[in-house]
Amino acid sequence: MLRKLIIAGNWKMNGSRQMAEALIGDVLAHYKVDAKTQVLLFPPAVYLAQTAQLLEGSAVHFGAQTVSEHTSGAYTGEISADMLQDMGCQSVLVGHSERRSLYKESNEDVAAKFMAAKQQGLVPVLCVGESLEQREQKITLDVVLGQIAAIIEENGVNVLENAVIAYEPVWAIGTGLTALPEQAQQVHQAIRQYVADLNEEIAKNLPILYGGSVKPDNAKQLFAMADIDGGLIGGASLKSADFLAIIEQAQQVEK
Ligand code: 13P
């Protein structure tokens, strides 16, 4: 086994205290911790304290869905990496496509958030992905590798040590359309090759997750691909039965 499979649940703006308690309770009760998998939860920020409490002492990690690029000060509504770290977060999502499209986060903004997370010792999960239009224009790799280049051109490839990349084709998010395993693998392989050309060791250890309509019935085929190291799961992470079934699928993958 080269890399652990990471099964990450991005709750987006969904849930309640009650739902968090039930869902996390189910995950803790039924996830059979093993050396092959790492489970990671991204609840809304207001539930991080509760999540930290519920997960205390467990093998399940958690983090926030975004982070400020600033360290502190007059940024009403924002949350710093320092605060996330203080709450016990191990990780944070940066550059999710919904942040990029709805909140106009540019590659430069995402790079700054990525670095803010790194500086606090959080594991950034850098989300990248092309729109349907970009795929049709056959510029998928330009877009995806460009999103990664924006981070490493400025800061060097070493920043991808202790980081995660999540490839989430925008056309597959919340649509029920999933990239075919081979289609996703192609992009994952290109990402790993791009990083390997700069540093082979970092590329070898870099977890690259797939996201976009991952469900219990397609997870195993996706996770079985050589360069797919798990999933970033939206809708199906809100139902404990589905999320646990996806974790189980990951545990059955042999590679
Ligand atoms: P869905 O699994 O609902 O398609 O969402 C994917 C996603 O955006 C996870 O970050």
Side-chain angles (χ1 to χ4, degrees), residues 10 12 96 168 172-174 212-214 232-235:
N10 174 10
K12 308 192 180 184
H96 190 280
E168 300 205 298
I173 296 178
S213 300
V214 176
L232 181 54
I233 296 128

